[in-house]
Amino acid sequence: MLYDEARLDHHARLRVVATSTVRHAVTCGRRLVLLNRHAVSARRGLILSGPAGTGKTIAITQLGRAHELLDRARHPGRADRIPVVYITVPPAATPRMIAAEFARFLGLPVTRSANITDITEAVVGVCTDTRTGLVLVDELHNISLTSRSGAEVADTLKYFSERIPATFVYAGIDIERSNLLSGTRGAQIAGRFTLLPTRPFPYGEEWTGLVATLEQHLLLHDHRPGTLVSLDRHLHHRTGGMIGALSHQIRGAAVDAILTGTEKITKDGLDAIPLDHAAQSSARTGPSGDRR
């Protein structure tokens, strides 16, 4: 039972595949960190934007992981450093909520009586003292500049980026189509941030490589190597090229294979895993939006 539980846990996580999107994000992010190292203000940033399920969160968290590992290697044994901060923008966010998200990540207490100025100063002080070099902000699409609170949240993030000597990396759904890059505030963001688009993967060599890499890390006793690779076109059609849906489908089928005792993944087993609506909609339409 313990052995199977360990295998279930393994497949629930599985390996993060170094896709071209992940590699590009890490390369661009590392470059910006170096270029911003001695900048006093107007530091450059990065925005990952694309449809849901195209690997934005994986890409920025892998960038954060790479930065933290490099920082640990350069400063071994130092427990007084927090090289990376990661927050998500909550729905209907307010400036105080954003400041509180930073504080919670850093382990700072947020009392009801604490105002936004108190929280902000505490966050900036800790990030500066602990040499934070990278700030990751996910779910950026939850900010709308058409509302007063949304505009104030954007201003709060800008203030943090000016006070904390770090590189800021944002991720959100279809940011270039939102109002975040329009108007005076949007122009400031557009003038400082590089937009890195993420898209569904086309069927081809990289897609087959992704499937093969995931298959190599399966821990199933009766699974025949190469089975998933032979189904790569079917997997692409069903997931619409969405890396998130692909990972979910394979991991789900592996979990079912352990729980049922079949110990292998088949086409029927893959098709039994329900996918998210975005992946299914993408699978039903072609590149130009035509029905398949």
Side-chain angles (χ1 to χ4, degrees):
M1 183 183 66
L2 293 176
Y3 170 68
D4 284 348
E5 282 295 327
R7 288 196 299 145
L8 288 170
D9 188 55
H10 167 81
H11 290 107
R13 292 174 296 163
L14 213 54
R15 176 180 174 175
V16 174
V17 181
T19 65
S20 57
T21 300
V22 170
R23 293 193 298 270
H24 192 30
V26 171
T27 299
C28 291
R30 288 291 305 134
R31 183 190 303 123
L32 286 173
V33 169
L34 293 173
L35 292 174
N36 289 333
R37 180 175 290 176
H38 302 293
V40 177
S41 62
R43 282 177 286 271
R44 300 283 176 169
L46 184 67
I47 298 177
L48 272 71
S49 172
T54 51
K56 299 179 295 297
T57 298
I58 291 176
I60 65 170
T61 52
Q62 287 302 297
L63 167 60
R65 181 177 184 273
H67 179 78
E68 180 159 354
L69 290 175
L70 183 60
D71 188 89
R72 289 181 182 179
R74 288 178 173 173
H75 307 280
R78 295 285 298 273
D80 59 344
R81 299 179 68 89
I82 305 176
V84 182
V85 169
Y86 173 86
I87 71 163
T88 59
V89 178
T94 64
R96 189 180 186 279
M97 290 169 66
I98 290 295
E101 288 293 316
F102 276 93
R104 290 190 184 95
F105 182 91
L106 298 170
L108 300 175
V110 180
T111 62
R112 291 184 178 181
S113 60
N115 58 42
I116 184 173
T117 302
D118 296 332
I119 302 172
T120 299
E121 288 303 313
V123 167
V124 170
V126 171
C127 287
T128 302
D129 292 343
T130 58
R131 303 295 190 271
T132 299
L134 187 64
V135 176
L136 309 175
V137 181
D138 208 350
E139 307 292 330
L140 190 69
H141 52 268
N142 283 333
I143 301 175
S144 174
L145 296 186
T146 58
S147 65
R148 179 179 176 180
S149 61
E152 291 174 346
V153 167
D155 290 342
T156 301
L157 285 175
K158 182 175 180 293
Y159 182 75
F160 273 125
S161 69
E162 292 173 346
R163 292 287 308 279
I164 300 173
T167 297
F168 277 62
V169 176
Y170 299 151
I173 297 175
D174 297 333
I175 300 302
E176 66 274 24
R177 298 180 184 177
S178 69
N179 56 27
L180 280 170
L181 301 181
S182 61
T184 303
R185 289 183 174 86
Q188 291 180 325
I189 297 174
R192 292 187 183 183
F193 284 78
T194 299
L195 188 69
L196 181 63
T198 63
R199 300 183 179 91
F201 287 90
Y203 179 74
E205 184 178 349
E206 182 174 11
W207 178 262
T208 302
L210 296 177
V211 175
T213 301
L214 290 171
E215 184 171 33
Q216 289 171 3
H217 289 83
L218 294 176
L219 298 179
L220 301 173
H221 297 302
D222 297 327
H223 182 79
R224 182 169 58 86
T227 300
L228 292 187
V229 174
S230 68
L231 295 170
D232 61 345
R233 185 178 292 275
H234 176 72
L235 288 166
H236 187 270
H237 175 75
R238 185 150 190 266
T239 63
M242 300 288 193
I243 182 64
L246 174 68
S247 174
H248 175 79
Q249 187 174 27
I250 292 177
R251 291 184 297 118
V255 167
D256 283 357
I258 295 174
L259 293 177
T260 61
T262 60
E263 292 291 340
K264 61 182 177 182
I265 296 179
T266 63
K267 182 175 179 295
D268 289 341
L270 290 167
D271 291 345
I273 306 300
L275 299 181
D276 58 88
H277 179 69
Q280 292 176 337
S281 298
S282 179
R284 288 194 296 265
T285 58
S288 61
D290 298 330
R291 303 291 293 185
R292 286 182 181 175

